[in-house]
Amino acid sequence: MPSDELKSILKKHKLRITDCRTDVLNLFIQKGSALSQGDLEHQLGAYDRVTLYRTLNSFLQAGILHKIPNATGVATYGLCHHTCSPNDHNHNHIHFKCNACGQIECLEDKAVPQISVPKGYQIEVVNMIVDGICPSCA
Amino acid sequence: MPSDELKSILKKHKLRITDCRTDVLNLFIQKGSALSQGDLEHQLGAYDRVTLYRTLNSFLQAGILHKIPNATGVATYGLCHHTCSPNDHNHNHIHFKCNACGQIECLEDKAVPQISVPKGYQIEVVNMIVDGICPSCA
DNA sequence: ATAGCTTATGCAACTAAATTGCATTTATAA
DNA sequence: TTATAAATGCAATTTAGTTGCATAAGCTAT
Ligand SMILES: [Mn+2]
Ligand SMILES: [Mn+2]
Ligand SMILES: [Zn+2]
Ligand SMILES: [Zn+2]
């Protein structure tokens, strides 16, 4: 993606434009799938782990990325494709984790179905994670 | 829960009966909510961290516990209320995580709704985690 | 009940990920 | 261009998860 577009995305979210941030953002856009901090470290070796860590946190805060729950213990992050802001993350799509290659993807077109919970419980966010085999691994 | 019942549960799953295992099992039954290894360490200080770690793994294997995905990074485990065996964990219920007290519960009565995924994806397991406020914290 | 075999436990050590403090560098707005 | 606030890198710490090995304990067959 052209550098100008990357910068405008950062600007839109009121983040200072730095090399690390544009590179991280670009990687997320290129890859299309969810990435962990380790993925970033591996593919953007130029930057310190801590800087990548803080970049992820900035992006979370800003609403550029969302955190994807999973049982493996390593946090993964996906691009917010819809308009998200720090206080209003707005995600409603299913996540898919491939048991073969380990990749996690956002299935943007698949909405999380409506559910009900017992009396007394208040719903704030609903996450749905599908484990299985992705098309590339089938 | 009476010691005899605890022992028979362990026996049913072909696990040797030890103090640690009966205490851990008893704690899960008493609490009713999901627990992390840290929770066990805190509440069953008599046992070594590694022993608790291996107890959790044995229980997972045996089908006594199931792992509950969440975005916090610490693994939590819940009792399998239905018949589960090592090769056939059979869970279909929603999990609820309270954003106030942090507790995670199994909503046994709330089934995970059926979903469809894009062509080429194969579903193996579906997890649904609801974040919100639990009745005790409301 | 006991002996013998198998499994569980505790300790120490190690890995990996997440997190913090602080000095230095860099981005941005005046 | 300069002043200010924020981002970065490095070092160090915390936390969770994991493995190896010697010892202790559970279980089964005699
Ligand atoms: Mn997503
Ligand atoms: Mn459950
Ligand atoms: Zn795959
Ligand atoms: Zn609560």
Side-chain angles (χ1 to χ4, degrees), chain B residues 9-84:
Chain B
I9 293 175
L10 293 174
K11 225 171 246 170
K12 190 172 63 187
H13 289 88
K14 304 200 200 308
L15 291 174
R16 288 195 178 179
I17 293 159
T18 68
D19 288 351
C20 183
R21 285 176 178 168
T22 48
D23 283 353
V24 168
L25 181 55
N26 191 45
L27 188 64
F28 269 99
I29 292 169
Q30 276 188 344
K31 291 283 170 182
S33 70
L35 298 169
S36 66
Q37 185 185 321
D39 293 333
L40 299 186
E41 288 172 27
H42 189 255
Q43 303 189 44
L44 299 174
Y47 304 106
D48 190 86
R49 310 171 23 222
V50 178
T51 304
L52 294 169
Y53 165 74
R54 289 194 263 233
T55 299
L56 284 173
N57 274 22
S58 307
F59 284 11
L60 265 190
Q61 269 294 316
I64 293 176
L65 294 177
H66 60 282
K67 203 170 189 175
I68 304 174
N70 74 93
T72 70
V74 299
T76 57
Y77 304 84
L79 277 175
C80 297
H81 286 129
H82 309 292
T83 35
C84 289

Side-chain angles (χ1 to χ4, degrees), chain B residues 109-128:
Chain B
D109 299 334
K110 292 293 173 181
V112 172
Q114 287 296 115
I115 51 145
S116 72
V117 288
K119 242 194 161 62
Y121 290 84
Q122 293 169 29
I123 299 178
E124 287 179 357
V125 186
V126 180
N127 277 293
M128 197 159 191

Side-chain angles (χ1 to χ4, degrees), chain A residues 7-38:
Chain A
K7 288 181 186 174
S8 90
I9 293 174
L10 292 175
K11 225 170 247 173
K12 189 172 62 188
H13 289 89
K14 304 199 200 309
L15 290 175
R16 288 195 178 180
I17 293 159
T18 67
D19 289 352
C20 183
R21 286 177 177 166
T22 48
D23 283 354
V24 168
L25 181 54
N26 191 45
L27 188 64
F28 269 99
I29 292 169
Q30 276 188 343
K31 291 283 170 182
S33 71
L35 298 170
S36 66
Q37 186 184 321

